[in-house]
């Protein structure tokens, strides 16, 4: 009886805390756990790891794609695209957007790595606050808080502590979704360009705005749609489209090649499937389905079956009861982003990282205590496995975050 009384008192005290204090406690605890995990992974790493034996978390901050962002910050973008011996464009900095790279340079006061770490950490906390606010009105405080717990401890949570732009993009994205839900239109005129020049994905937000406009139009009898809001939705959608394609134009002007950006992106894809001549929407998933079956020694037709199952499963998930409980802005964003990935992405070792913008779907996590606890355990196990593979023993083509 006494134990139950103590537990009840602790729970009551926890619920009495302001949301920002509870989320701060959750986020700090999660970052401590991730740091301990990074230390353990580094201590267990062998000399054949990309980062060497006994690598520290500070080493991981500057690992993998962080090197590209650092290169952008110190050297800018090439005016002439690098090419290989056959004249094909090779990997270069144009694949990486400038906001995170240059912001880390400013924040770090001479240490780009320090600036990158601070931005990732602070952005991760901001993303947690915004996620809670976005979900709370629809699913309640308890479910929204659990969504933050799972998000902060998710399998790729190490990205909150390394030099990747994902953390900043998530904060901007969740802020934009919250502004859309609250219909604070003017803030979106700033957030959309910031998103677009932080990380690819703003074209999915343009699709979201189109779907949102249709949804509002269909509900105008019960949810009035004044002309000024129609103008905002159309203008913001147009802005997202312009920003989404502007990087291609900027790269073309600076390098003198109209296909500079697409060829740069294809350089990474050609590392997996040589001989690709041009970008074809939706082709990446088909090529990948074939590739992975060959790598695993399985017949290619199984890849097509797996792809069909994946697409049907994603659609079923978006239509599930747990997802339908989420704000409509979250559901439309999730559908838009999944379609965007199907159109432009080539599934490879970075696939799980590319799924991070679907973070609002953590609000659809199990609602029972056992289900939430089991999901948290799976998240922590996944975090260890992913960090160990990508950072601890990372040294080959399928171990790039």
């Amino acid at each position: 009886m006494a134990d139950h009384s103590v537990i009840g008192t602790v729970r009551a005290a926890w619920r009495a805390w302001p949301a920002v204090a509870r989320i701060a406690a959750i986020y700090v605890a999660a970052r401590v756990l991730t740091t301990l995990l990074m230390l353990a992974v580094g201590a267990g790493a062998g000399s054949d790891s990309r980062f060497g034996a006994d690598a520290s978390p500070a080493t991981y901050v500057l690992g993998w794609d962080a090197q590209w962002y650092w290169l952008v910050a110190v050297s800018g973008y090439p005016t002439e695209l690098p090419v290989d011996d056959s004249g094909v464009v090779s990997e270069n900095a144009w694949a990486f957007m400038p906001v995170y790279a240059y912001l880390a340079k400013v924040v770090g006061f001479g240490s780009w790595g320090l600036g990158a770490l601070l931005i990732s950490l602070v952005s991760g906390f901001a993303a947690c606050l915004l996620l809670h606010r976005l979900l709370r009105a629809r699913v309640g405080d308890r479910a929204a808080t659990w969504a933050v717990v799972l998000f902060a401890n998710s399998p790729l949570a190490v990205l909150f502590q390394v030099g990747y732009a994902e953390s900043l993009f998530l904060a901007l994205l969740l802020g934009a979704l919250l502004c859309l839900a609250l219909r604070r239109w003017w803030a979106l005129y700033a957030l959309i360009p910031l998103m677009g020049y932080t990380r690819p994905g703003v074209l999915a937000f343009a699709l979201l705005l189109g779907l949102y406009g249709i949804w509002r139009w269909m509900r105008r009898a019960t949810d009035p749609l004044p002309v000024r809001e129609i103008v905002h939705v159309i203008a913001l959608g147009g802005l997202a489209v312009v920003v989404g394609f502007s990087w291609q134009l900027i790269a073309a002007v600076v390098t003198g090649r109209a296909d500079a950006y697409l060829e740069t992106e294809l350089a990474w894809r050609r590392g997996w499937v040589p001989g690709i001549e041009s970008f074809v929407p939706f082709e990446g998933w088909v090529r990948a389905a074939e590739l992975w079956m060959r790598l695993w020694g399985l017949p290619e037709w199984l890849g097509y079956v797996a792809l069909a199952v994946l697409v049907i499963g994603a659609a079923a998930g978006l239509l599930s009861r747990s997802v339908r409980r989420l704000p409509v802005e979250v559901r439309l964003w999730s559908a838009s982003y999944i379609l965007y990935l199907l159109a432009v992405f080539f599934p490879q070792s970075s696939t799980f990282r590319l799924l991070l913008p679907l973070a609002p779907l953590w609000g659809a996590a199990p609602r029972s205590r056992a289900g939430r606890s089991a999901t948290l355990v799976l998240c922590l196990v996944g975090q260890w496995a992913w960090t160990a593979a990508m950072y601890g023993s990372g040294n080959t083509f399928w171990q790039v975050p």
Side-chain angles (χ1 to χ4, degrees):
M1 183 68 72
D3 289 343
H4 286 295
S5 176
V6 171
I7 293 173
T9 301
V10 170
R11 286 178 178 167
W14 170 254
R15 296 191 188 107
W17 282 20
V20 64
R22 284 184 280 124
I23 293 169
I26 291 167
Y27 188 70
V28 169
R31 301 288 61 79
V32 170
L33 280 174
T34 297
T35 301
L36 294 173
L37 187 150
M38 294 170 78
L39 287 168
V41 165
S47 58
D48 60 340
S49 167
R50 178 184 177 91
F51 303 99
D54 298 322
S56 69
T59 302
Y60 295 148
V61 170
L62 296 174
W64 295 118
D65 283 0
Q67 289 291 302
W68 284 109
Y69 287 110
W70 170 82
L71 182 65
V72 168
V74 300
S75 301
Y77 294 92
T79 56
E80 183 175 343
L81 295 181
V83 296
D84 60 20
D85 294 338
S86 61
V88 176
V89 174
S90 56
E91 298 172 356
N92 65 84
W94 281 107
F96 299 88
M97 304 301 179
V99 169
Y100 181 81
Y102 288 118
L103 186 60
K105 183 179 181 180
V106 172
V107 171
F109 294 103
S111 171
W112 187 89
L114 175 61
L117 176 61
L118 290 174
I119 292 169
S120 292
L121 283 170
V122 172
S123 297
F125 177 57
C128 288
L129 289 173
L130 291 164
L131 178 64
H132 182 269
R133 177 75 185 281
L134 177 64
L135 297 176
R136 181 181 58 192
R138 187 63 186 263
V139 302
D141 179 77
R142 186 185 179 98
T145 302
W146 263 102
V148 170
V149 171
L150 298 174
F151 173 56
N153 291 283
S154 61
L156 273 67
V158 70
L159 292 176
F160 291 130
Q161 297 178 220
V162 296
Y164 271 68
E166 266 65 20
S167 188
L168 178 59
F169 182 83
L170 284 169
L172 295 169
L173 169 65
L174 290 165
L177 291 174
L178 180 60
C179 286
L180 184 62
L182 298 176
R183 301 175 188 177
R184 295 179 180 174
W185 308 107
W186 292 109
L188 286 169
Y189 287 97
L191 288 171
I192 285 173
L194 286 173
M195 280 194 294
Y197 297 123
T198 296
R199 179 187 174 281
V202 75
L203 288 176
F205 203 84
L207 177 58
L208 156 68
L209 288 166
L211 296 175
Y212 175 83
I214 294 171
W215 176 78
R216 287 289 307 279
W217 178 261
M218 293 174 63
R219 290 172 48 88
R220 66 190 185 281
T222 56
D223 183 7
L225 181 60
V227 173
R228 63 180 180 83
E229 293 197 2
I230 295 175
V231 172
H232 278 305
V233 171
I234 294 173
L236 289 165
L239 176 62
V241 170
V242 170
V243 171
F245 285 106
S246 66
W247 192 244
Q248 296 183 39
L249 178 60
I250 293 169
V253 170
V254 173
T255 64
R257 286 192 56 157
D259 61 353
Y261 178 71
L262 286 180
E263 283 297 305
T264 295
E265 289 290 354
L266 288 176
W268 267 268
R269 190 172 298 191
R270 290 185 182 112
W272 292 84
V273 183
I276 294 177
E277 296 183 358
S278 62
F279 168 74
V280 178
F282 299 101
E283 181 189 39
W285 288 81
V286 177
R287 291 286 195 109
E290 300 166 349
L291 170 68
W292 285 107
M293 292 304 107
R294 288 198 302 270
L295 290 175
W296 294 332
L298 299 171
E300 290 184 2
W301 64 266
L302 275 179
Y304 307 139
V305 173
L307 178 57
V309 170
L310 181 65
V311 172
I312 294 171
L318 290 176
L319 295 173
S320 66
R321 180 180 299 178
S322 58
V323 172
R324 291 202 307 270
R325 286 197 295 260
L326 302 179
V328 67
E329 295 80 10
V330 168
R331 288 179 275 146
L332 294 178
W333 161 254
S334 300
S336 299
Y337 188 69
I338 289 173
L339 184 60
Y340 167 80
L341 288 183
L342 288 172
V344 307
F345 185 55
F346 178 86
Q348 27 80 1
S349 62
S350 299
T351 298
F352 293 110
R353 177 171 61 85
L354 270 290
L355 295 177
L356 274 176
L358 295 174
L361 291 178
W362 282 116
R367 311 204 85 177
S368 67
R369 184 180 302 173
R372 287 166 170 165
S373 299
T375 303
L376 178 58
V377 170
L378 289 174
C379 282
L380 294 174
V381 171
Q383 187 180 158
W384 168 81
W386 190 85
T387 305
M390 299 297 174
Y391 286 93
S393 60
N395 60 5
T396 189
F397 71 96
W398 60 270
Q399 292 174 298
V400 182

